[in-house]
Amino acid sequence: MRRILIVGAGRSSSALVRYLLEKSEQEKLSVIIADVSIENAKKLVGGHKNGKIVNLDIFNVERRKEIIQESDIVISMLPARFHLEVAKDCLEFGKNLVTASYISEELKAMNDEVLEKGLIFMNEIGLDPGIDHMSAMQVIDRIKEKGGKMILFESFTGGLVAPESDDNLWNYKFTWNPRNVVVAGQGGIAKFIQEGKYKYIPYHKLFRRTEFLSIEGFGKFEALANRDSLNYREIYGLQDALTLYRGTIRRVGFSRAWNIFVQLGMTDDSYVMEGSENMSYREFTNSFLPYKPHDSVELKLRHYLKIDQDDVIWEKLLEIDIFNPDKIVGLKNATPAQILQKILMDSWTLSEEDKDMIVMYHKFGFELNGVKRQIESNMVVLGEDQTYTAMAKTVGLPVAMATLDILNGKIKNPGVQLPIAKEVYDPILEELKDYGITFNEKEVEYLGYNPHNLGA
């Protein structure tokens, strides 16, 4: 039996484990899950004879090295900051590695040693990053093979709640790490290129600069810019493209309402609020407002941010209970962002019956035989339940498929890499169709930008 080691058994591991166990007889696989908490791992394995669970504290160096040395290939599903230690062990013992996370600078620096040993360290093979890379490169490569020239590329992805579970005014619930949602967009300027012009959006303006898109059968969405779209120019071979823009999808109206938190300072994670443990939700909100002893907190907030009483944003703020004097934060030495997360989790945590939804949308503008053309491509995936979520499927399945392809010698090129090579993305995208992860593609009238418009 070939030993596949999965380090970490979090929420994104369910579809990954199920896929490998279903293939285990045919492919002669022993699937070992190593985690500090074995309860969730037990649920995922479900007593399968080819599944094994081992207790592992990632900081127990001796035990970690022992388990990695005994494996044939390693999948790290740990938080991104812990991948490096696993990667060092894989390099030491000559093991291939697969992760769904972005390639860090530290991991990139290991490339020469990884190449020297002929190893494959495949990263960014989840959803975003992952399916976005593969689906984009498949179309871009096809356009270029026909002699086309890329002039526009836009790409947006969002983890949302499924329509049947969309029952709040924000049209949103946490389908992934809530902290990442609360602090999204911080830590750097959003930059991209449109109409051949560099564009920059500072954090305090990010949620008021949105694009709109429609997906047949699912309605209208909005998209806000990711931090640095320009990173993908070289990766995707789009150095000559006039427009390159990547972003995050939400339902229309979410960003305008979220901007209230940004303007108040509630998303700030840089300082601790005094007395947070005993602070009420109402006191938290009042902390960001002017001192006016004769005005209510509600009135002060409306005046401060110029929100009309009949504005739907006001209804959204009431819905999440931020004016409640009886609910207590209960977090010691908490930052505003941590407190906001706690408040939102009361309203936005998925219930047992809820299902999530992944939406991905690409727009390709190109010139072929002197004619400008445009392709729109979208993917919508709905979750099965709270274990096999859309997020778990779209992250875990590509990871599992890449692992098996490496193990079977179908992916051969060594190095620290992401899945932009045809040998990697073609078979994985084809197999993903069997699991309902497919792209609807159509050619439409070219609606791109005019590069000669000097006022762009």
Side-chain angles (χ1 to χ4, degrees):
M1 301 291 279
R2 300 178 295 173
R3 297 167 65 89
I4 296 178
L5 173 63
I6 303 171
V7 186
R11 290 191 67 186
S12 58
S13 301
S14 57
L16 161 67
V17 172
R18 181 169 69 177
Y19 174 93
L20 292 174
L21 287 176
E22 286 175 353
K23 299 278 186 180
S24 62
E25 281 297 306
Q26 176 189 343
E27 295 284 348
K28 296 183 170 53
L29 306 175
S30 176
V31 181
I32 302 106
I33 304 175
D35 199 286
V36 69
S37 172
I38 63 174
E39 288 310 308
N40 191 49
K42 284 180 180 177
K43 291 177 189 172
L44 297 183
V45 170
H48 196 290
K49 66 176 185 176
N50 293 329
K52 181 183 176 184
I53 300 161
V54 295
N55 184 267
L56 174 66
D57 180 342
I58 196 66
F59 299 111
N60 184 336
V61 178
E62 188 177 332
R63 179 65 173 144
R64 188 185 71 221
K65 286 178 178 287
E66 177 189 346
I67 294 171
I68 288 174
Q69 190 173 10
E70 291 172 351
S71 66
D72 291 303
I73 189 168
V74 178
I75 300 170
S76 179
M77 298 299 285
L78 296 166
R81 63 187 181 277
F82 299 130
H83 290 323
L84 189 60
E85 299 309 312
V86 175
K88 288 176 181 175
D89 294 342
C90 287
L91 186 61
E92 180 181 351
F93 299 117
K95 309 297 179 182
N96 293 319
L97 172 67
V98 181
T99 86
S101 300
Y102 287 103
I103 300 175
S104 65
E105 290 301 317
E106 294 85 358
L107 204 56
K108 199 181 292 183
M110 297 172 67
N111 187 50
D112 287 346
E113 294 176 273
V114 172
L115 284 169
E116 192 177 321
K117 286 201 168 187
L119 297 174
I120 298 169
F121 280 16
M122 180 65 71
N123 306 272
E124 306 191 24
I125 183 71
L127 168 66
D128 178 359
I131 292 177
D132 58 338
H133 292 325
M134 296 188 288
S135 55
M137 286 307 300
Q138 188 175 59
V139 177
I140 291 169
D141 284 346
R142 190 172 76 228
I143 289 168
K144 289 182 176 180
E145 285 166 8
K146 292 178 179 177
K149 177 188 175 185
M150 287 293 302
I151 52 179
L152 177 150
F153 176 65
E154 294 187 0
S155 178
F156 308 108
T157 306
L160 302 164
V161 64
E164 65 199 77
S165 305
D166 187 349
D167 56 12
N168 67 43
L169 292 173
W170 293 76
N171 308 116
Y172 187 80
K173 293 180 184 179
F174 291 125
T175 60
W176 200 235
N177 187 338
R179 174 176 168 77
N180 291 348
V181 175
V182 173
V183 300
Q186 298 182 43
I189 199 89
K191 54 183 177 178
F192 49 98
I193 186 170
Q194 282 181 313
E195 310 179 34
K197 304 289 185 182
Y198 289 98
K199 298 294 180 181
Y200 305 89
I201 309 177
Y203 175 67
H204 72 284
K205 293 291 186 182
L206 184 62
F207 295 90
R208 295 307 296 127
R209 291 265 298 273
T210 53
E211 300 270 316
F212 294 98
L213 57 99
S214 295
I215 294 178
E216 190 175 346
F218 292 90
K220 196 174 181 182
F221 299 86
E222 65 184 21
L224 55 145
N226 286 351
R227 270 184 294 189
D228 189 356
S229 297
L230 304 183
N231 279 337
Y232 292 86
R233 268 201 297 203
E234 192 171 339
I235 291 170
Y236 289 179
L238 297 175
Q239 291 89 338
D240 297 327
L242 298 172
T243 294
L244 178 55
Y245 183 31
R246 285 169 51 93
T248 301
I249 291 176
R250 294 286 182 261
R251 283 292 186 182
V252 174
F254 177 91
S255 298
R256 188 167 78 93
W258 185 268
N259 191 53
I260 296 298
F261 302 141
V262 175
Q263 298 309 310
L264 286 171
M266 289 181 172
T267 62
D268 198 318
D269 200 42
S270 66
Y271 67 94
V272 166
M273 298 188 76
E274 282 73 18
S276 61
E277 188 173 7
N278 299 312
M279 186 184 290
S280 71
Y281 288 9
R282 188 179 186 83
E283 288 170 331
F284 170 68
T285 302
N286 193 33
S287 298
F288 301 97
L289 299 171
Y291 179 74
K292 292 183 178 178
H294 303 297
D295 288 347
S296 69
V297 178
E298 290 88 343
L299 187 62
K300 286 194 294 183
L301 192 148
R302 281 213 310 272
H303 284 175
Y304 185 51
L305 293 173
K306 298 178 176 60
I307 304 172
D308 293 329
Q309 192 169 347
D310 59 354
D311 191 327
V312 69
I313 285 182
W314 184 245
E315 296 300 319
K316 290 179 179 181
L317 294 176
L318 293 176
E319 185 181 70
I320 59 172
D321 226 9
I322 63 170
F323 302 108
N324 194 319
D326 300 317
K327 285 188 177 179
I328 304 301
V329 170
L331 299 174
K332 196 172 182 179
N333 298 324
T335 67
Q338 290 169 333
I339 297 171
L340 179 60
Q341 177 183 328
K342 165 74 161 51
I343 292 171
L344 293 176
M345 286 178 72
D346 289 351
S347 303
W348 293 358
T349 297
L350 293 168
S351 70
E352 282 299 313
E353 299 76 31
D354 282 338
K355 295 179 181 179
D356 69 330
M357 173 174 74
I358 298 295
V359 180
M360 186 175 288
Y361 174 93
H362 299 311
K363 186 190 293 183
F364 307 87
F366 60 102
E367 191 171 325
L368 180 62
N369 300 325
V371 178
K372 288 179 180 175
R373 302 183 179 186
Q374 184 167 306
I375 292 172
E376 292 181 359
S377 176
N378 67 72
M379 173 197 81
V380 178
V381 179
L382 300 175
E384 298 173 30
D385 51 40
Q386 281 304 294
T387 300
Y388 299 101
T389 62
M391 187 70 78
K393 287 165 67 176
T394 51
V395 172
L397 287 174
V399 169
M401 292 169 187
T403 301
L404 205 51
D405 283 352
I406 292 169
L407 205 55
N408 289 334
K410 293 179 181 177
I411 297 175
K412 298 174 182 175
N413 289 332
V416 177
Q417 59 190 278
L418 64 165
I420 57 172
K422 197 176 180 69
E423 69 161 0
V424 178
Y425 66 66
D426 261 353
I428 292 176
L429 289 173
E430 188 60 35
E431 190 177 358
L432 284 172
K433 293 176 184 176
D434 298 336
Y435 295 84
I437 301 174
T438 184
F439 283 82
N440 297 311
E441 192 177 301
K442 62 179 179 180
E443 186 161 338
V444 298
E445 179 187 357
Y446 179 73
L447 300 173
Y449 301 104
N450 176 7
H452 304 298
N453 181 356
L454 299 179

